[in-house]
């Protein structure tokens, strides 16, 4: 029997999407796609829109993500073959919020689907994304302000460039197409802070939205996909940098040794407080202000605290 998802968690990235996905998995009446971030609607019919050598970072990112994603409809449906009698069937892919071509693809696939998004203050989201990228060796600059000043924001191609800290935070621009295509009753927007401060209430509301038992209690004590920093930078670079030598070793070494290296890498990470430059915060607030004000009206939610300097 063919099972199709009837809800999607579309993002945002670094806004608690991974934690929320794991909370949803606990509910016996909810089935979540076993593949983490299948990105199907982000890649089906997609291409890189190459701009030559200047877009090398974008091409690399595109090729890397596409290899990790599903772009075939049969392969996508196979992810839901183990659905039994669950009422809510879904998957989570933060790319869906960022890719402007995704809403129409989702609508054509299933116009009655339910959409869930969790949003984090875009200023804090950008910084968290930077810390995350630094920890994994994907960001070469050590200063956040330098990194966001290097990012080109006004580009038509979402794959352009290697830095996406700022561009990922224009939620109004990203959500508006969903509200144009889908009925408001099909969309629920939640805030990252609410999930962190009152997770039980948020989960109950989501369960009601998905029409499953809202009395089910979820264990929300574990946070997932946190931004951590390496204790030893040299060791971390050795274990994370994608060199040709490392790729060759992955092919030649036994899986047990590869997993051991991953364990060492994870143990080398720790949660530390990283200073958020004041000039960077003020700069981002000025960039996001117009989008935030429009978003308030779109989702009918007071977001004035996002515009505060501290």
């Amino acid at each position: 029997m063919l099972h199709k998802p009837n809800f999607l968690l579309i993002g945002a990235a670094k806004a608690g999407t991974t934690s929320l996905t794991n909370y949803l998995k606990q509910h016996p009446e909810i089935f979540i796609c076993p593949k983490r971030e299948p990105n199907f609607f982000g890649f089906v019919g997609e291409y890189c829109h190459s701009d030559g050598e200047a877009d090398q970072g974008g091409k690399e990112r595109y090729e890397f993500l596409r290899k990790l994603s599903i772009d075939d409809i049969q392969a996508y449906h196979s992810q839901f073959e183990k659905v039994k009698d669950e009422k809510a069937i879904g998957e989570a892919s933060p790319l869906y919020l960022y890719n402007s071509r995704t809403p129409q693809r989702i609508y054509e696939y299933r116009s009655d689907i339910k959409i869930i998004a969790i949003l984090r203050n875009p200023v804090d989201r950008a910084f968290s994304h930077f810390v995350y990228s630094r920890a994994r060796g994907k960001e070469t600059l050590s200063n956040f302000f330098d990194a966001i000043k290097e990012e080109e924001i006004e580009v038509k191609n979402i794959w352009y460039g290697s830095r996406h800290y700022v561009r990922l935070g224009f939620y109004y621009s990203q959500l508006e197409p969903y509200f144009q295509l889908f009925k408001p009753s099909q969309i629920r927007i939640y805030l990252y802070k609410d999930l962190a401060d009152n997770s039980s209430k948020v989960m109950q509301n989501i369960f009601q939205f998905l029409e499953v038992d809202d009395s089910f209690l979820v264990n929300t004590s574990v946070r997932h996909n946190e931004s951590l920093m390496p204790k030893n930078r040299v060791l971390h670079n050795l274990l994370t940098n994608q060199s040709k030598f490392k790729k060759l070793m992955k092919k030649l070494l036994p899986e047990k040794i590869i997993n051991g290296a991953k364990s060492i890498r994870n143990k080398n990470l720790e949660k530390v407080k990283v200073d958020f430059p004041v000039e960077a915060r003020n700069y981002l607030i000025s960039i996001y202000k117009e989008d935030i004000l429009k978003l308030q009206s779109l989702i009918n939610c007071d977001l004035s605290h996002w515009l505060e300097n501290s």
Side-chain angles (χ1 to χ4, degrees):
M1 181 179 177
L2 176 63
H3 294 283
K4 291 184 176 183
N6 53 29
F7 80 91
L8 297 173
L9 178 53
I10 63 172
K14 302 306 297 174
T17 304
T18 301
S19 290
L20 180 54
T21 302
N22 282 279
Y23 300 158
L24 291 171
K25 284 180 179 179
Q26 297 178 35
H27 199 295
E29 294 180 310
I30 298 177
F31 181 93
I32 297 291
C33 170
K35 179 173 176 59
R36 184 175 181 269
E37 299 183 17
N39 294 328
F40 174 69
F41 298 105
F43 279 105
V44 60
E46 185 71 27
Y47 55 101
C48 187
H49 307 271
S50 173
D51 293 324
E53 290 303 316
D55 193 20
Q56 187 60 35
K59 287 192 289 185
E60 290 178 355
R61 177 174 178 268
Y62 169 84
E63 291 168 0
F64 174 75
L65 285 175
R66 183 142 200 167
K67 287 179 181 178
L68 297 178
S69 305
I70 296 174
D71 58 9
D72 175 77
I73 187 67
Q74 293 182 334
Y76 182 64
H77 285 156
S78 71
Q79 293 292 311
F80 305 98
E81 287 178 346
K82 294 186 178 180
V83 171
K84 296 178 181 177
D85 55 357
E86 292 88 351
K87 295 179 181 178
I89 304 169
E91 56 111 329
S93 298
L95 180 63
Y96 295 166
L97 183 61
Y98 186 39
N99 189 339
S100 61
R101 294 174 283 277
T102 293
Q104 184 64 42
R105 293 171 186 164
I106 295 173
Y107 183 79
E108 291 174 357
Y109 174 81
R110 184 163 187 172
S111 61
D112 64 341
I113 203 164
K114 293 181 178 180
I115 305 292
I116 298 173
I118 179 166
L119 308 179
R120 183 178 188 176
N121 182 329
V123 176
D124 295 331
R125 195 223 68 80
F127 185 59
S128 177
H129 193 170
F130 167 77
V131 173
Y132 179 86
S133 296
R134 278 283 296 162
R136 279 149 185 77
K138 297 177 181 179
E139 175 56 70
T140 56
L141 296 176
S142 59
N143 183 280
F144 177 53
F145 196 37
D146 291 340
I148 58 177
K149 293 288 281 186
E150 283 289 318
E151 180 181 341
E152 294 189 52
I153 302 172
E154 299 296 330
V155 293
K156 294 181 180 179
N157 174 16
I158 68 163
W159 304 113
Y160 186 90
S162 56
R163 295 183 177 89
H164 299 257
Y165 310 126
V166 182
R167 281 190 271 159
L168 278 162
F170 291 99
Y171 305 138
Y172 170 78
S173 299
Q174 296 161 7
L175 280 172
E176 185 185 26
Y178 284 97
F179 279 89
Q180 290 178 344
L181 289 169
F182 299 94
K183 298 175 183 177
S185 60
Q186 291 175 242
I187 305 174
R188 285 290 174 88
I189 309 298
Y190 300 93
L191 301 185
Y192 172 85
K193 189 176 186 303
D194 292 335
L195 181 65
D197 294 346
N198 199 340
S199 56
S200 296
K201 183 178 180 180
V202 170
M203 294 310 301
Q204 183 180 47
N205 190 278
I206 292 176
F207 292 155
Q208 291 171 352
F209 177 57
L210 296 178
E211 299 180 78
V212 296
D213 180 10
D214 63 3
S215 66
F216 182 81
L217 297 179
V218 173
N219 179 3
T220 59
S221 61
V222 179
R223 295 185 65 183
H224 303 267
N225 205 26
E226 290 185 286
S227 295
L228 306 173
M229 292 296 286
K231 303 172 188 175
N232 186 309
R233 172 61 66 178
V234 175
L235 175 62
H236 183 74
N237 289 341
L238 180 65
L239 295 173
T240 58
N241 286 345
Q242 295 297 317
S243 64
K244 291 183 178 179
F245 175 75
K246 184 181 176 183
K247 292 177 182 178
L248 178 62
M249 288 300 97
K250 280 186 176 181
K251 294 180 180 179
L252 298 178
L253 295 176
E255 185 176 351
K256 185 176 182 180
I257 295 179
I258 297 297
N259 291 335
K262 289 180 180 178
S263 177
I264 294 174
R265 180 195 65 189
N266 292 336
K267 289 179 180 178
N268 187 46
L269 295 173
E270 63 179 348
K271 187 174 182 179
V272 296
K273 182 175 176 56
V274 183
D275 291 332
F276 194 146
V278 176
E279 66 270 27
R281 179 177 290 279
N282 293 337
Y283 173 71
L284 287 177
I285 289 175
S286 68
I287 288 177
Y288 285 128
K289 184 175 181 179
E290 183 179 352
D291 190 84
I292 290 173
L293 293 176
K294 289 181 178 179
L295 179 65
Q296 286 188 138
S297 299
L298 182 68
I299 66 175
N300 191 29
C301 178
D302 178 15
L303 300 173
S304 58
H305 56 287
W306 284 4
L307 297 172
E308 296 173 359
N309 292 330
S310 59

